[in-house]
Amino acid sequence: MTFKEAVASGWANKMEFTGRSRRSAFWFWYLFQGLVITAFVLVAVGVFAGATALRNSNETLGTIVMVIGIILAIAMGVVGIILSVATIAAAVRRLHDRGQSGLFLLLYLVPFGNIVVLVFLLLPGMPTDNQYGPATS
């Protein structure tokens, strides 16, 4: 699965917690999420830094840029929530590909449980059909 296909699939299945997902689909989606969040943060930092610099020389323009920054921060929060839900759904489908319940994600709440979940997400899926659906590879 290519990066573009994985992003399209991840977006189309952003609220789908059933079925199975290939490793490539999950990790490409995870990369996409990281790139989007990084881009938002860099733009937000630039806007807020620019607003701070502008307020020292032109208070009105600085205030306008600050309002734009606040709107951007709100948009970033909304996008972050959507991407987080989509990533959790992709992780559940990835665990299903291994034949495991999505409840294993609750291990994130236990110290060092994230390492166990990471190993599960990295391992190949079951080559045969399982209770979560037909084989993905």
Side-chain angles (χ1 to χ4, degrees), residues 8-66:
S9 172
W11 190 253
N13 296 311
K14 63 185 168 290
M15 298 296 285
E16 184 64 45
F17 290 86
T18 60
R20 297 170 67 168
S21 182
R22 292 180 172 184
R23 272 189 296 184
S24 61
F26 173 76
W27 289 109
F28 278 143
W29 174 260
Y30 201 80
L31 174 64
F32 169 74
Q33 175 204 12
L35 292 173
V36 168
I37 290 173
T38 301
F40 260 115
V41 168
L42 290 175
V43 169
V45 166
V47 167
F48 282 117
T52 303
L54 283 173
R55 286 192 92 182
N56 293 334
S57 61
N58 184 342
E59 191 166 328
T60 305
L61 186 58
T63 303
I64 291 170
V65 174
M66 186 64 76

Side-chain angles (χ1 to χ4, degrees), residues 86-137:
T87 301
I88 291 169
V92 167
R93 292 191 309 272
R94 180 72 203 115
L95 288 171
H96 287 174
D97 195 40
R98 294 256 331 118
Q100 297 164 322
S101 170
L103 293 175
F104 272 100
L105 289 178
L106 292 175
L107 287 174
Y108 273 114
L109 303 175
V110 178
F112 304 107
N114 58 339
I115 296 170
V116 175
V117 174
L118 177 64
V119 170
F120 288 158
L121 295 173
L122 288 169
L123 291 172
M126 295 177 66
T128 59
D129 297 352
N130 65 21
Q131 69 267 31
Y132 300 107
T136 57
S137 48

